[in-house]
Amino acid sequence: MSPEPRLVEVRKNILKQNDIVARELRAGFREVGTFVVSLVSSPGAGKTAFLERVLTALHPRYRVAALVGDLATENDAARLARSNAPVKQITTGTLCHLEATMVRSAMEGWGAEALDFLFIENVGNLVCPASYDLGESLRLVIISVTEGEDKPLKYPPIFNSADIAIVTKIDLAAAVEFDRAAVDANIQAVRPGMTIFHLSAKTGEGMREFIESLEARLAASRGVVVG
Amino acid sequence: MSPEPRLVEVRKNILKQNDIVARELRAGFREVGTFVVSLVSSPGAGKTAFLERVLTALHPRYRVAALVGDLATENDAARLARSNAPVKQITTGTLCHLEATMVRSAMEGWGAEALDFLFIENVGNLVCPASYDLGESLRLVIISVTEGEDKPLKYPPIFNSADIAIVTKIDLAAAVEFDRAAVDANIQAVRPGMTIFHLSAKTGEGMREFIESLEARLAASRGVVVG
């Protein structure tokens, strides 16, 4: 007997359980007015450098915090703490993604309630996180110019699960002969109409436009019209 | 009742089943004298560019072929076919790793038996492939200089499952201020004594040393002493 059907069945139940917890999280965040942004990408695409810039830009004016997932080490939490925003590391052991229960456990007793923005940096992985709702308001999929233009075509589920695509490390675009039109076309082929930001956390290019779009989304989620 | 223990149990059975198939594959490859090399890395680390160089270098003098895994697209097989070596794509759908049965199915009726070298390029993922033996003789874990020096510490299982570490894209080392001593120290911290090659598939730097080491390993696997 092939074991696959049993695995699929058990996994479906776990996913369903994850969806229930994610729905509760989402309702809770909405109640207190917290806009939750999750980040998924390959290892080394630059999630942490990007997030450090975002936290630093938002921190003076908003109540922000971040959860950050990794198999091992607290390196990312230490890096993000330089933004002075509250940061908590979730280590997953051998698990290739975060789950809603991990977010719930991390939030419990943390004292980081009543936030404007909560950021959740997932484990570096372009496959596994696609199936797990974390109760976020917005999911960003991040790819760096050094990874090549074909990644959307090769990893369609993660692009389909995300709301916005961020193309990072554009300061390296010339060095790797990056074809911007090609990556944009590949993203649109997988997810027509997807919003795309091209930016560099190193030079800061494109960061302001992204930060402003986040602020507009927070305002919109609270029913505030930005003029 | 928490569903996790059931998943773990089912997964253990699948892994055991995978190990049985991998053992059979390994015995079969050894019998016909095929040296099997698998490649694991993040998406975009440069597995395919590296493998194209390796196939092109070996093809005139050895019988070589490659299997290449991806969620979707046949792009990599098309790229690797430029080496003129036989190449076959395995598409995994939403699965984040190759399994031994996929290798077995791909080999059946392919007519690529009696090879000197078979290369297996796994799905781009630094987590999932760690647990799946594919019957290979040698596993390479590849990281690019653009991913940062901390990856071995953050993804220890994949480094522990591999035999050799390849640091790619060293032509970009200066542009990303890559610290070679730091990545080497991090690899050694996770897997003491691991052999490391630093190279660039783009410029060819470091490729010759790697190719020679492969040839020496093939000879050693056949009991030939290289003088």
Side-chain angles (χ1 to χ4, degrees):
Chain A
M1 196 190 77
S2 161
E4 277 87 35
R6 282 174 62 208
L7 181 67
V8 170
E9 193 190 314
V10 177
R11 185 167 281 166
K12 265 194 192 145
N13 289 340
I14 290 177
L15 283 178
K16 203 187 277 177
Q17 181 59 30
N18 184 79
D19 285 344
I20 293 166
V21 177
R23 206 176 304 146
E24 290 167 1
L25 279 174
R26 186 171 284 109
F29 287 132
R30 177 163 303 198
E31 203 175 297
V32 295
T34 302
F35 194 78
V36 182
V37 182
S38 77
L39 296 82
V40 294
S41 83
S42 301
K47 279 186 302 303
T48 311
F50 168 70
L51 186 50
E52 189 180 345
R53 274 254 181 198
V54 172
L55 291 176
T56 304
L58 292 173
H59 186 250
R61 294 171 293 131
Y62 297 92
R63 294 161 298 170
V64 296
L67 297 174
V68 49
D70 262 313
L71 300 201
T73 85
E74 308 254 324
N75 292 1
D76 286 357
R79 281 173 67 189
L80 292 174
R82 298 187 297 208
S83 69
N84 292 320
V87 179
K88 198 167 181 177
Q89 182 87 41
I90 302 173
T91 49
T92 64
T94 57
L95 205 63
C96 52
H97 58 267
L98 291 178
E99 297 183 3
T101 52
M102 298 176 189
V103 173
R104 185 170 62 187
S105 302
M107 294 304 290
E108 276 165 10
W110 189 23
E113 291 85 16
L115 296 165
D116 296 309
F117 289 105
L118 172 69
F119 294 90
I120 306 174
E121 181 182 330
N122 217 314
V123 177
N125 203 301
L126 270 191
V127 184
C128 319
S131 317
Y132 290 83
D133 184 357
L134 302 179
E136 65 267 69
S137 320
L138 191 75
R139 181 176 291 192
L140 314 177
V141 59
I142 302 176
I143 49 169
S144 64
V145 298
T146 65
E147 293 169 53
E149 297 83 359
D150 59 349
K151 291 303 161 288
L153 303 179
K154 292 169 84 171
Y155 300 88
I158 200 93
F159 282 82
N160 278 315
S161 83
D163 305 289
I164 289 180
I166 310 265
V167 181
T168 55
K169 306 193 188 180
I170 57 164
D171 54 293
L172 295 174
V176 297
E177 298 163 49
F178 178 70
D179 184 340
R180 177 174 170 152
V183 81
D184 287 0
N186 288 341
I187 292 169
Q188 298 299 332
V190 171
R191 191 135 164 75
M194 193 173 209
T195 300
I196 307 172
F197 289 89
H198 294 250
L199 52 81
S200 166
K202 192 172 178 183
T203 66
E205 185 181 347
M207 288 299 303
R208 193 173 54 82
E209 292 80 355
F210 174 74
I211 298 288
E212 286 175 2
S213 85
L214 272 191
E215 294 181 88
R217 282 172 189 267
L218 173 69
S221 76
R222 291 174 173 175
V224 180
V225 178
V226 181
Chain B
M1 195 192 76
S2 162
E4 277 87 34
R6 280 176 61 208
L7 180 67
V8 171
E9 193 190 314
V10 177
R11 185 167 282 166
K12 264 195 193 146
N13 289 340
I14 291 177
L15 282 179
K16 204 187 278 178
Q17 181 59 30
N18 184 80
D19 285 344
I20 292 166
V21 177
R23 206 177 304 147
E24 290 167 0
L25 280 174
R26 186 170 284 112
F29 287 132
R30 176 164 303 199
E31 202 174 298
V32 295
T34 303
F35 194 79
V36 183
V37 182
S38 77
L39 296 80
V40 294
S41 83
S42 300
K47 279 185 301 305
T48 311
F50 168 70
L51 186 50
E52 190 181 344
R53 273 255 180 194
V54 172
L55 291 176
T56 304
L58 292 173
H59 186 249
R61 294 170 293 130
Y62 296 93
R63 295 161 299 170
V64 295
L67 297 174
V68 49
D70 262 313
L71 300 200
T73 85
E74 308 253 327
N75 292 1
D76 286 356
R79 282 173 67 190
L80 292 175
R82 298 187 298 210
S83 69
N84 293 318
V87 179
K88 199 167 183 178
Q89 182 88 40
I90 303 172
T91 49
T92 63
T94 57
L95 205 62
C96 52
H97 58 266
L98 291 178
E99 296 183 3
T101 52
M102 298 176 188
V103 173
R104 186 171 59 187
S105 303
M107 293 305 289
E108 276 165 10
W110 189 23
E113 292 86 14
L115 297 166
D116 296 309
F117 289 104
L118 172 69
F119 294 89
I120 306 174
E121 181 182 329
N122 217 314
V123 177
N125 203 300
L126 271 191
V127 184
C128 319
S131 317
Y132 290 85
D133 184 358
L134 302 179
E136 65 267 70
S137 321
L138 191 74
R139 181 175 291 191
L140 313 178
V141 59
I142 301 176
I143 48 169
S144 64
V145 299
T146 65
E147 292 169 52
E149 297 82 359
D150 60 349
K151 292 302 160 290
L153 302 179
K154 292 170 84 171
Y155 300 88
I158 200 92
F159 281 82
N160 277 315
S161 84
D163 304 291
I164 289 180
I166 310 266
V167 180
T168 56
K169 306 193 189 180
I170 57 165
D171 54 295
L172 296 172
V176 298
E177 299 163 48
F178 178 70
D179 184 341
R180 176 175 173 153
V183 81
D184 287 0
N186 289 340
I187 292 169
Q188 298 300 332
V190 170
R191 191 135 164 75
M194 193 174 209
T195 300
I196 308 171
F197 289 89
H198 295 250
L199 51 82
S200 166
K202 192 172 180 185
T203 67
E205 186 182 347
M207 288 300 302
R208 193 173 54 81
E209 292 79 357
F210 175 74
I211 298 288
E212 287 175 0
S213 85
L214 273 190
E215 295 182 88
R217 280 171 190 268
L218 173 68
S221 76
R222 291 174 173 175
V224 179
V225 177
V226 180

